[in-house]
Amino acid sequence: MDALRTTFEQHLAAALPGVEITLERPKSGELGDLAFPCFRAAKQLGKNPMQLSQELAAGIRIDGAALVAAGPYLNLKLAPETRAAAVLGAILQAPGDQPFGSRRANGRKVIVEYSSPNIAKLFTIGHLRSTMIGHALAQLHQFLGWEVTRLNHLGDWGTQFGTLLAAYTRWAQDGNADLEADFDWADPAPEKRRTPLFRLFQLYVRFHAEEENDPAMRDEGRAWFRRLEEGDPEARRLWAWFRKISLKEFQRIYDRLGVAFDTLEQGEAFYEDQLVPTMDLLEQAGLLVEGDKGARIVNLEDVGIATPCLVQKGDGTSIYATRDLAAALYRKQAYAFDRCLYVVGTDQVLHFQQLFAVLNKLDPWFHGRMLHTPFGMVKLPEGKMSTRKGNVIFLEDVLDEARERVAAIIQEKNPDLADREAVAELLGMGAVVFFDAMNDRVKPITFTWDRVIALDGDTGPYVQYAHARILSVLRKAGGDWAAKAQAGAAQGPCLPFPLAPLPADLGGLAAPEAQALLFELAGLPVAITAAAEGCMATPLARQLVTLARTFSGFYTNCPILAPDNTHEVREARLALCVATARALRQGLYLMGIQAPEEM
Ligand code: ARG
């Protein structure tokens, strides 16, 4: 495919000297495999684009392909067998370490910072967004040749710890003295799951509720945070304990989601000893200005940001932004990155504008390397979620509910399925994660169970089903096909068994449905690149749905194992099945979704 593109570009360049050649993908495989929009070239040459595309169609010859003028577009359309050989070759003969659509190491380094929950709060459906968008971005960049560092800027420092310490010390005697009592970490049965972090969280919610009527409590929280910052041993001891409890819970969720970080040790607290040096740097650079009540700020009006960046409160305590500045400076030293992505909600747009602006003033090295990839908040039909008020939806509840709903469907449709529980877990997860990716990253999502868990339509399970159906066809085909499918599926994300040589006769793939499927397979790398560039998995998720749907058309119209198929037809169609399974599995894997072999 790449070779074809190059050939086409060379022909166009020769025919249109001085014109910049950019190719597109036609809307359907019916039209062709590559399209050259003639508008710009026509304008440059003072011609009509329709006429230019006709002239080019008449003037260019490429073996195995037809050049067709379609209005202002010049389409290159491969002969059915050529398309089949090109696409199947690219997918099935790709070396294991260089799967279809991937790129070689490009020597560039990216930090993806994602998830970053606050300690002592529970993981809500809102955190799923940062976690899974970030995970997909990390996977996608790695696939495209970047060296990726996965960081989690845990919220393990800040005034909320003052609140927690105040709440805990106030009410510990109300049965909360040992948050871990009666809890078996090794066996967190569902009904017990919410202890001990839940107990801590309840203290937090209660404190905020009572604080409304008793403003003096606010000072209590502040005083505790001061003690913490000053190194008071009791404050430190409790803080470390809260942190440990939280991390244990988070780790369990990350394991369940299949998400891992290079380290969980570089949270906000990690930068504590770097706050003074950071303030010194700002001072030396002449950026610090006295704000209200002794606070210290950096003015950003000159770069078009009206609100100054607060870096130290009047009482001398550090804030969120100070720790982010220290973190960025640290990351420069530790990772020498080319790009740093912050996967954080749209409610922090201003914060990141300020952060990046201060960094640019401090050190021009940062310019152009820092990127906030915001995502829309998850809303409940009744309004915004608020941890403080306690009206939130916990991620684990969503995952459990999804699993149970799927299990009920399996029970009904396929009661003999082996490993029912495990499959239900993968499908439930697929439903939730895919739902998230199908939503535009930046728009808010309204969460309703029905939409998340819908198992038909543009959903994860629909794509997972196409994959499982193909593996079942391969098992039925028996012999080598069955063995290869099994070995491949056992090996990991992309069924990495090579198929060399390809079936010699690909005539069995001439039908329009087979050709359409080949065309959509060729679209996968395009979708992967678009997902990485746009920093959201949506284009990839859409392409996977299209692939699954196109496969279904192929499956219905081009019988694979029909007894009256010739051997050649059967082999060619099976090869297309394997290629499709591989593409689906690879795509899902990049999104952080596993594809069960049966369902
Ligand atoms: N802990 C923060 C929160 O839950 C998100 C942290 C985002 N990352 C950052 N570098 N500020 O809102």
Side-chain angles (χ1 to χ4, degrees):
M1 276 304 192
D2 283 347
L4 178 74
R5 173 179 277 269
T6 314
T7 311
F8 191 25
E9 280 168 354
Q10 282 166 352
H11 278 280
L12 288 167
L16 303 167
V19 173
E20 198 193 318
I21 309 293
T22 35
L23 298 182
E24 290 179 2
R25 217 172 112 75
K27 298 240 163 351
S28 81
E30 222 36 73
L31 293 168
D33 298 87
L34 289 170
F36 174 63
C38 298
F39 308 100
R40 193 143 28 110
K43 196 166 178 198
Q44 225 171 308
L45 303 170
K47 285 191 182 172
N48 169 319
M50 318 256 187
Q51 183 203 340
L52 179 62
S53 87
Q54 269 163 14
E55 283 173 22
L56 289 169
I60 301 178
R61 294 271 160 278
I62 295 177
D63 278 353
L67 284 133
V68 190
Y73 288 88
L74 174 68
N75 291 331
L76 176 147
K77 186 173 179 183
L78 290 175
E81 292 215 23
T82 316
R83 183 186 282 174
V87 176
L88 292 184
I91 301 177
L92 297 174
Q93 298 180 316
D97 60 347
Q98 203 65 82
F100 179 56
S102 67
R103 304 241 186 91
R104 274 177 213 296
N106 62 19
R108 305 189 73 201
K109 295 183 186 170
V110 62
I111 291 178
V112 186
E113 187 220 276
Y114 59 109
S115 197
S116 312
N118 289 334
I119 296 282
K121 291 192 194 164
L122 296 179
F123 224 84
T124 69
I125 180 74
H127 292 103
L128 180 74
R129 300 221 74 197
S130 176
T131 308
M132 294 317 293
I133 294 170
H135 178 67
L137 291 184
Q139 302 272 87
L140 286 163
H141 277 83
Q142 193 166 13
F143 196 68
L144 294 178
W146 292 73
E147 188 185 316
V148 181
T149 303
R150 298 152 197 250
L151 295 182
N152 187 324
H153 192 71
L154 274 179
D156 56 1
W157 202 251
T159 43
Q160 75 271 28
F161 286 94
T163 310
L164 270 172
L165 288 163
Y168 178 80
T169 46
R170 233 174 201 248
W171 295 311
Q173 60 278 25
D174 298 3
N176 282 306
D178 187 0
L179 298 164
E180 291 179 279
D182 320 320
F183 187 76
D184 181 1
W185 282 103
D187 178 24
E191 65 280 10
K192 287 192 190 171
R193 170 177 290 152
R194 288 188 183 162
T195 40
L197 189 54
F198 194 65
R199 293 179 202 181
L200 197 55
F201 169 70
Q202 280 175 317
L203 290 175
Y204 180 83
V205 173
R206 177 172 169 192
F207 197 88
H208 278 293
E210 296 194 12
E211 190 188 57
E212 306 258 296
N213 306 320
D214 183 1
M217 285 169 73
R218 217 155 281 162
D219 296 330
E220 212 175 302
R222 271 193 211 121
W224 268 107
F225 184 56
R226 258 205 104 85
R227 279 177 69 177
L228 186 63
E229 282 219 307
E230 282 161 4
D232 174 276
E234 179 62 0
R236 287 285 162 135
R237 182 185 70 79
L238 288 171
W239 168 79
W241 184 40
F242 297 162
R243 187 178 186 279
K244 190 190 83 186
I245 286 175
S246 307
L247 268 183
K248 272 181 153 178
E249 286 258 340
F250 294 162
Q251 190 58 58
R252 212 187 57 248
I253 295 173
Y254 291 141
D255 288 347
R256 186 168 176 190
L257 291 170
V259 167
F261 297 90
D262 284 285
T263 172
L264 283 171
E265 289 309 315
Q266 292 178 19
E268 293 191 44
F270 176 79
Y271 302 103
E272 215 204 319
D273 61 356
Q274 297 159 47
L275 298 177
V276 172
T278 301
M279 290 300 289
D280 289 347
L281 277 179
L282 291 171
E283 179 83 80
Q284 282 156 21
L287 296 173
L288 285 183
V289 177
E290 187 101 354
D292 280 352
K293 297 187 203 128
R296 313 188 78 186
I297 59 175
V298 178
N299 274 321
L300 299 170
E301 254 170 351
D302 59 325
V303 290
I305 301 172
T307 329
C309 183
L310 177 65
V311 288
Q312 192 177 63
K313 289 200 210 163
D315 64 2
T317 54
S318 69
I319 70 154
Y320 184 56
T322 333
R323 292 185 289 275
D324 255 327
L325 286 168
L329 295 167
Y330 175 83
R331 289 172 187 176
K332 176 190 171 190
Q333 296 305 323
Y335 302 105
F337 57 86
D338 295 287
R339 195 189 270 183
C340 182
L341 302 179
Y342 292 82
V343 187
V344 186
T346 46
D347 55 341
Q348 296 192 28
V349 165
L350 177 62
H351 167 74
F352 285 103
Q353 282 171 351
Q354 293 174 321
L355 175 66
F356 300 164
V358 176
L359 287 168
N360 288 343
K361 281 179 184 265
L362 206 50
D363 182 350
W365 182 89
F366 285 102
H367 194 84
R369 290 175 200 256
M370 314 300 275
L371 196 70
H372 176 206
T373 58
F375 55 83
M377 296 290 107
V378 180
K379 290 199 260 172
L380 301 179
E382 56 271 25
K384 201 170 178 255
M385 286 202 284
S386 157
T387 315
R388 286 187 179 201
K389 294 190 183 128
N391 69 330
V392 291
I393 294 189
F394 299 113
L395 178 60
E396 291 209 275
D397 290 344
V398 177
L399 296 179
D400 289 352
E401 176 86 21
R403 181 183 57 208
E404 264 130 52
R405 291 194 186 209
V406 173
I409 298 172
I410 296 179
Q411 172 67 27
E412 191 189 304
K413 295 202 168 152
N414 191 359
D416 300 328
L417 181 68
D419 271 345
R420 273 210 316 252
E421 275 295 294
V423 173
E425 167 78 9
L426 294 189
L427 296 184
M429 194 83 77
V432 173
V433 173
F434 206 88
F435 167 80
D436 189 78
M438 284 296 279
N439 283 282
D440 182 282
R441 169 162 60 73
V442 193
K443 289 192 191 135
I445 298 185
T446 300
F447 178 95
T448 60
W449 284 107
D450 287 348
R451 283 190 62 209
V452 173
I453 290 164
L455 293 184
D456 43 3
D458 300 347
T459 65
Y462 178 71
V463 177
Q464 289 167 311
Y465 178 66
H467 169 269
R469 181 142 86 165
I470 294 174
L471 291 201
S472 136
V473 170
L474 296 176
R475 277 192 299 272
K476 280 201 202 105
D480 222 20
W481 292 104
K484 279 179 176 165
Q486 202 180 16
Q491 269 184 58
C494 50
L495 291 164
F497 56 94
L499 198 76
L502 292 182
D505 182 343
L506 295 172
L509 303 178
E513 293 83 6
Q515 288 292 309
L517 180 52
L518 289 161
F519 175 77
E520 295 306 343
L521 285 169
L524 188 69
V526 182
I528 289 174
T529 314
E533 275 167 10
C535 285
M536 57 180 175
T538 317
L540 173 56
R542 295 227 170 95
Q543 186 62 17
L544 292 175
V545 169
T546 304
L547 261 179
R549 190 163 294 135
T550 316
F551 174 76
S552 173
F554 163 70
Y555 183 84
T556 319
N557 293 292
C558 303
I560 300 160
L561 302 177
D564 53 350
N565 273 356
T566 62
H567 176 73
E568 285 70 26
V569 165
R570 177 185 139 108
E571 294 293 294
R573 291 184 178 169
L574 282 166
L576 179 54
C577 282
V578 175
T580 309
R582 196 186 268 202
L584 291 172
R585 199 176 169 87
Q586 180 71 63
L588 288 171
Y589 169 77
L590 291 173
M591 294 177 63
I593 299 173
Q594 287 185 53
E597 285 167 55
E598 268 184 86
M599 61 188 266

